[in-house]
Amino acid sequence: MARKKKNGGNHAEPSVPCRIYSYGCLEPTVGLEKILEQMRKGNDYRNSHVRIELDRRDEYYATLSEIDPSIGELHSLTKGMQIEIRKLPRGKEKDEMIDQQKAHRDVLKLLCAKAKLADAVKARLKQLDGQNYEEIKELYNSASDVYWATRLVVDAAAKDFKKGCPPEFRRFVGEGRIAVQLQGGLPVNDVDGGTIFRIVPAGQSKGGRRKFAECWFRVGSTEKGKPEFAVIPFVYHRPLPDGANIKWAYLHRLKCGTRWTWKLSVVVSRECGWPINDAANDGVVSIDIGYKMTSEGLHVATFVASDGGQGDLVIKNDDYNRWLNSNYTKSERKKSFNDFKSYLSDWLSDRDVPDWLSESTNTIGLWKSCSRLSRLYEEWSGNRFVGDDEMFDTLKKWYYADRRAIDMEQGQSSRAIRWRDDMYRNFVSGLRRKYRKVVIRDVDYSVIATAGYMPDIARRNRFIAAPGRLVSLIVVGFAECEKVAVVKESREAEVPKPKKTGSGSRKKTRSKVAV
């Protein structure tokens, strides 16, 4: 059995199969302010990690620049390009700059690998690693006002800061998560008496179809050292399995449109694992994932089975319109924003207005976000002045219409995603009842998504098809899964030279891929 280390210890324990149970929650009835305080402090703690990592990178490249000055120049160039990329809107220009930045980083990586071979540099980099470790350790010890389990979650995420692009600071806007870790595991049968996490039954509906419960989530300690809980009501629609142990629990707060949503995630482990009871005894099916638009709809995947069965997974045109409805609502909302912005700008140009309004709208021609107008309405509602009745009433109508539109847009998008995931689950469950083993290509779709410039329609189809999501459901849904590497054969001698046609264009040739 595979082994893994415990957090904060040098000994190892057997890894146990885990599963996450998620529940939608209502707003906490007790401890809401404490939860938001912990989320804000957790965000500040993460930003402190970002600052440490950015300083480490600057010292790292400064050290290597002593061997090769071009390293420092390339590092400064990539940092400047990152700032410009944040300012650009999504489109071809932004994607092309991202590709240029990747090319510069590839060259920078090669130069750094060569510069690190010097003995003096090796000693200095080892010293920098030691300093970085001490800074992170000191940060963990000094952030005692953040609950220790939340700190562990942030520390685990901060380990990836040393890879890829530089991490970025995040402004706290009310979203976040807090965590508790149940060391050693809490048996599900004893969950109503836990010291840091509890699930307490709270009755049921009249017909008994819906069961209610309260989650007692520890968010700190009192002055006397006793646990301080937040209470979150939720519908206990899927009970935790018997014989399992609770390892972690997370409480999420997310913004959906204009409303706040809460989610409880419970990580449970079970020694016997999670067997698939309805899996077939034999049979193999091969699934080829590749999305493209056809006359029937968005083709997502094709499967061929050992018994001769075959078929396609297609999002029909009527169902494809679920995403188009969301995009139409978004475009109408943007059009309404641009029209009202121009109307307000003309109204301000020939009137004497208070200084606060003049300062707030001095860059109104550059506004691209509807939230700018929403914040203006909220500020204006508390600073009324003579002669603003007509414009303020118009702004008020736009404000509430925009709130309804953004809720509609988010609702349409969420429903479309839930429908697609349900369709994928039914597709996987139908195949696993017939075939025990599945064979798929070993492809990292996240790399394909960031490969370079992609037209808007292709980008939208990739988002709708979500091939990575389908792969994750296939891996979890089948009793046996085999991933086959994609091998590209070199066939340079077989590729004919392009020939000119009568119109002066060139015929395109495609390289062959063997699996």
Side-chain angles (χ1 to χ4, degrees):
M1 183 179 292
R3 313 283 290 185
K4 67 176 181 180
K5 289 185 177 181
K6 277 187 176 181
N7 290 331
N10 296 324
H11 57 285
E13 66 173 357
S15 61
V16 180
C18 297
R19 182 164 289 185
I20 300 176
Y21 283 69
S22 297
Y23 306 89
C25 304
L26 298 178
E27 186 176 277
T29 56
V30 178
L32 175 60
E33 295 182 357
K34 189 69 175 180
I35 291 175
L36 296 181
E37 179 186 359
Q38 283 294 307
M39 288 182 177
R40 177 183 289 276
K41 291 180 178 179
N43 186 77
D44 294 340
Y45 182 66
R46 178 197 174 277
N47 288 337
S48 299
H49 270 285
V50 173
R51 170 51 57 197
I52 291 175
E53 173 58 21
L54 294 179
D55 293 341
R56 185 198 70 84
R57 292 196 180 208
D58 289 339
E59 294 179 2
Y60 171 80
Y61 288 113
T63 301
L64 296 181
S65 298
E66 297 176 359
I67 303 298
D68 188 351
S70 60
I71 292 178
E73 297 175 359
L74 272 176
H75 175 55
S76 301
L77 178 61
T78 54
K79 287 179 66 176
M81 295 181 70
Q82 185 66 28
I83 296 174
E84 294 297 326
I85 288 172
R86 294 196 199 104
K87 297 179 181 179
L88 291 174
R90 191 183 71 184
K92 185 174 182 179
E93 183 180 359
K94 184 174 183 176
D95 290 339
E96 288 177 350
M97 183 169 286
I98 291 174
D99 292 340
Q100 293 176 8
Q101 188 189 42
K102 288 181 179 178
H104 289 315
R105 282 183 174 153
D106 291 339
V107 176
L108 183 61
K109 188 182 296 183
L110 294 175
L111 295 177
C112 291
K114 184 177 179 180
K116 285 192 295 185
L117 298 177
D119 294 336
V121 172
K122 291 181 180 179
R124 176 57 180 160
L125 293 181
K126 186 175 181 179
Q127 182 182 1
L128 288 178
D129 291 339
Q131 293 177 359
N132 181 253
Y133 174 79
E134 292 298 330
E135 289 178 356
I136 294 176
K137 184 177 179 181
E138 183 180 356
L139 174 63
Y140 180 87
N141 294 330
S142 62
S144 57
D145 53 346
V146 184
Y147 192 60
W148 62 269
T150 303
R151 276 181 284 169
L152 288 179
V153 173
V154 176
D155 289 343
K159 291 181 179 179
D160 294 333
F161 288 173
K162 296 183 179 181
K163 305 174 184 177
C165 298
E168 297 182 358
F169 295 101
R170 289 182 183 173
R171 182 170 60 92
F172 182 72
V173 294
E175 294 183 316
R177 68 172 177 175
I178 57 176
V180 292
Q181 182 187 25
L182 296 97
Q183 295 177 325
L186 173 67
V188 170
N189 297 333
D190 301 333
V191 71
D192 56 346
T195 57
I196 61 176
F197 178 78
R198 301 175 189 171
I199 294 180
V200 181
Q204 58 185 7
S205 60
K206 290 184 178 180
R209 297 178 62 183
R210 303 179 69 188
K211 296 183 179 180
F212 306 106
E214 291 180 342
C215 169
W216 289 40
F217 206 97
R218 185 169 183 174
V219 291
S221 303
T222 61
E223 296 179 355
K224 297 182 179 180
K226 295 183 179 180
E228 186 176 1
F229 288 98
V231 180
I232 306 100
F234 68 101
V235 178
Y236 200 21
H237 66 279
R238 183 174 53 180
L240 298 176
D242 295 332
N245 291 329
I246 301 174
K247 296 291 187 179
W248 283 86
Y250 303 91
L251 183 63
H252 307 260
R253 187 178 190 243
L254 305 170
K255 191 72 175 289
C256 182
T258 61
R259 300 184 299 271
W260 291 106
T261 59
W262 296 79
K263 185 176 73 171
L264 172 66
S265 299
V266 184
V267 181
V268 296
S269 64
R270 193 163 59 178
E271 292 288 346
C272 62
W274 309 92
I276 301 175
N277 298 324
D278 60 347
N281 296 325
D282 55 8
V284 181
V285 60
S286 175
I287 302 178
D288 183 18
I289 301 175
Y291 57 92
K292 64 178 180 180
M293 277 303 295
T294 63
S295 58
E296 188 178 1
L298 182 61
H299 180 278
V300 180
T302 300
F303 70 89
V304 178
S306 56
D307 60 356
Q310 58 183 359
D312 300 316
L313 176 62
V314 181
I315 298 178
K316 304 292 184 180
N317 287 322
D318 292 341
D319 297 317
Y320 184 85
N321 291 334
R322 297 171 184 266
W323 282 269
L324 297 185
N325 293 336
S326 175
N327 291 339
Y328 175 77
T329 304
K330 184 177 181 179
S331 63
E332 287 294 312
R333 179 169 168 255
K334 191 70 174 179
K335 182 177 180 297
S336 175
F337 163 73
N338 290 328
D339 293 342
F340 186 81
K341 183 182 69 171
S342 300
Y343 175 66
L344 177 59
S345 179
D346 295 340
W347 184 85
L348 293 170
S349 62
D350 58 352
R351 280 176 174 79
D352 292 332
V353 296
D355 294 339
W356 67 266
L357 181 57
S358 178
E359 294 176 0
S360 299
T361 59
N362 59 353
T363 59
I364 189 172
L366 302 176
W367 290 3
K368 296 182 179 180
S369 173
C370 299
S371 60
R372 297 292 297 269
L373 271 180
S374 299
R375 288 197 295 268
L376 177 63
Y377 165 76
E378 294 169 358
E379 184 180 7
W380 198 335
S381 60
N383 296 277
R384 299 295 302 276
F385 58 92
V386 179
D388 71 340
D389 294 340
E390 182 179 356
M391 177 53 66
F392 180 79
D393 292 341
T394 308
L395 177 60
K396 182 178 180 180
K397 292 179 181 178
W398 175 89
Y399 174 78
Y400 284 103
D402 183 70
R403 289 174 65 88
R404 290 192 296 270
I406 191 174
D407 285 337
M408 182 184 299
E409 175 193 338
Q410 292 290 337
Q412 291 170 338
S413 178
S414 299
R415 288 192 295 271
I417 292 173
R418 289 197 298 268
W419 174 89
R420 180 202 62 203
D421 290 351
D422 185 65
M423 175 188 178
Y424 285 179
R425 291 190 188 96
N426 291 332
F427 172 76
V428 172
S429 63
L431 290 179
R432 75 160 174 254
R433 293 188 181 99
K434 297 180 179 180
Y435 314 104
R436 184 169 185 82
K437 183 178 179 180
V438 62
V439 179
I440 58 176
R441 298 179 184 229
D442 188 6
V443 179
D444 188 355
Y445 290 98
S446 62
V447 175
I448 298 176
T450 59
Y453 170 70
M454 185 178 294
D456 290 340
I457 297 178
R459 189 191 302 270
R460 181 178 65 201
N461 291 340
R462 178 187 60 81
F463 174 78
I464 295 174
R469 177 60 175 163
L470 178 58
V471 169
S472 64
L473 293 174
I474 291 174
V475 172
V476 175
F478 276 85
E480 299 179 19
C481 179
E482 179 183 353
K483 291 187 176 182
V484 180
V486 178
V487 180
K488 293 184 178 181
E489 294 182 352
S490 177
R491 297 174 180 253
E492 297 179 357
E494 300 182 14
V495 179
K497 294 182 179 180
K499 298 180 180 179
K500 291 185 178 181
T501 61
S503 59
S505 61
R506 293 177 179 268
K507 294 182 179 180
K508 296 181 180 179
T509 58
R510 295 182 180 179
S511 58
K512 298 182 179 180
V513 179
V515 179

